[in-house]
Amino acid sequence: MVKPLPSYLGRLAPSPTGHLHLGHARTFWLAAERARSAGGALLLRNDDLDALRFRLDFVAAMLEDLRWLGFSWREPVVTQSTRLPRYRAALAALHAAGLIFPCTRTRRDVLEAVSAPHESAATPAPEDEPVYPPQFRPPLDAPLPPLGAVITVNWRFRVPDGEAISFHDARFGPQRAVAGRDFGDFLVWRKDDAPSYQLSCAVDDAELGITEVVRGADLIRSTFRQLLLIRALGHIAPAYYHAPLMLDDRGERLAKRHDALSLRTLRAQGVTPAEIIAPFRTVDPTP
Ligand code: GLU
């Protein structure tokens, strides 16, 4: 008997740290089209773990904007702040496997170490964080301190140095990065006792049964990190489709701009959802 294919489950994962703009609309439209053409469904994930920038009114606004544009998703909405025990369990599993270590170095320590002349092997993409200096790692055989009930130190994932991580991107084709060279030990839990984006996203995509992640191409480098976490946690990775970023007429990324092209502003000016989506249709979501 032929096994039925697992049904497609995608996700929209906005962060309630600002208003959604045209770039979000286009990425989410691509996600919705890919789910639709696969006969699948979408989850809506509210990425509300950024305590400093989070605002409750942004949650309401993003739901309203997405509905206004005509998107629909499987209820209930997945809210990351309600899933902290899942992330904590994943952290405990990584700790038990000896794959993480506590890090008391500051950003400045890292920047100073990587700008020192002897550190020329590490060359991450300019917009990515610097490769964590290996000399800052505790030795492999050093006993790991317990996590503790409340975490007050940063914990990082120890990447497998020299290992090539690859995946096939449904939009951009084969992708490859070498751990320890293109990216280094990265944060999984922060000293203010909150999971990092990499950990919460990897846990959710794997545990919620997402079959394909559609998101902006700025996150391709995160995908390598998340693939390592998903593997370390014993899960099967989803497929990935990274959407080309939308640039404004000066070639600047929309995400970097403020309200000029927010969906709310356009709506207040009388622009309709159909007018917003029409230009997206020139992109074939299933190349
Ligand atoms: N909330 C994240 C963002 O807006 C989502 C990233 C993702 O899709 O994995 O950047």
Side-chain angles (χ1 to χ4, degrees):
M1 221 181 86
V2 183
K3 256 179 132 183
L5 285 174
S7 50
Y8 185 105
L9 185 63
R11 86 310 193 266
L12 310 178
S15 297
T17 53
H19 287 134
L20 299 181
H21 54 68
L22 268 181
H24 292 111
R26 191 174 70 159
T27 301
F28 294 157
W29 177 80
L30 279 165
E33 282 300 293
R34 288 185 65 82
R36 193 183 55 81
S37 66
L42 287 174
L43 291 181
L44 179 67
R45 193 179 82 199
N46 169 15
D47 282 5
D48 65 343
L49 294 178
D50 182 342
L52 286 180
R53 295 191 302 149
F54 166 85
R55 269 178 33 193
L56 199 54
D57 58 319
F58 286 143
V59 179
M62 79 194 185
L63 294 178
E64 188 185 286
D65 290 348
L66 291 171
R67 290 206 181 95
W68 175 71
L69 277 175
F71 293 118
S72 55
W73 50 85
R74 192 187 273 177
E75 297 287 347
V77 170
V78 177
T79 296
Q80 288 199 311
S81 59
T82 65
R83 290 181 43 79
L84 290 171
R86 297 307 313 150
Y87 312 136
R88 183 60 206 231
L91 182 75
L94 297 173
H95 183 268
L99 292 170
I100 56 175
F101 63 88
C103 159
T104 51
R105 304 289 184 159
T106 62
R107 253 182 99 73
R108 184 149 169 213
D109 294 337
V110 172
L111 285 174
E112 277 173 11
V114 297
S115 60
H118 64 277
E119 274 308 316
S120 55
T123 50
E127 61 280 35
D128 204 355
E129 65 180 37
V131 172
Y132 189 76
Q135 67 270 26
F136 286 179
R137 285 172 162 174
L140 257 179
D141 53 4
L144 267 189
L147 289 168
V150 178
I151 291 180
T152 54
V153 65
N154 288 325
W155 285 83
R156 288 179 183 268
F157 184 84
R158 188 190 287 265
V159 301
D161 282 338
E163 185 182 328
I165 316 295
S166 52
F167 67 96
H168 181 84
D169 188 90
R171 174 88 196 192
F172 289 102
Q175 303 294 316
R176 182 178 186 275
V178 176
R181 187 194 74 188
D182 299 320
F183 65 97
D185 300 340
F186 57 88
L187 214 59
V188 285
W189 208 274
R190 297 198 313 250
K191 62 177 191 232
D192 59 353
D193 203 10
S196 72
Y197 157 68
Q198 306 295 357
L199 184 72
S200 57
C201 183
V203 167
D204 286 345
D205 286 336
E207 289 190 358
L208 300 174
I210 301 300
T211 61
E212 185 180 71
V213 169
V214 177
R215 60 183 173 196
D218 53 325
L219 291 168
I220 288 184
R221 289 182 309 275
S222 287
T223 300
F224 297 111
R225 298 170 171 95
Q226 291 168 21
L227 284 171
L228 284 175
L229 289 176
I230 290 171
R231 180 177 80 183
L233 293 168
H235 294 299
I236 295 177
Y240 292 91
Y241 177 108
H242 288 90
L245 297 179
M246 206 170 166
L247 306 176
D248 67 8
D249 39 19
R250 289 183 314 220
E252 210 180 308
R253 267 182 59 193
L254 281 195
K256 305 268 182 221
R257 288 181 39 170
H258 20 261
D259 249 20
L261 294 168
S262 83
L263 297 170
R264 331 226 95 198
T265 308
L266 295 170
R267 180 176 169 188
Q269 291 167 350
V271 180
T272 65
E275 285 166 335
I276 288 181
I277 286 172
F280 304 160
R281 295 194 190 279
T282 56
V283 187
D284 178 4
T286 54

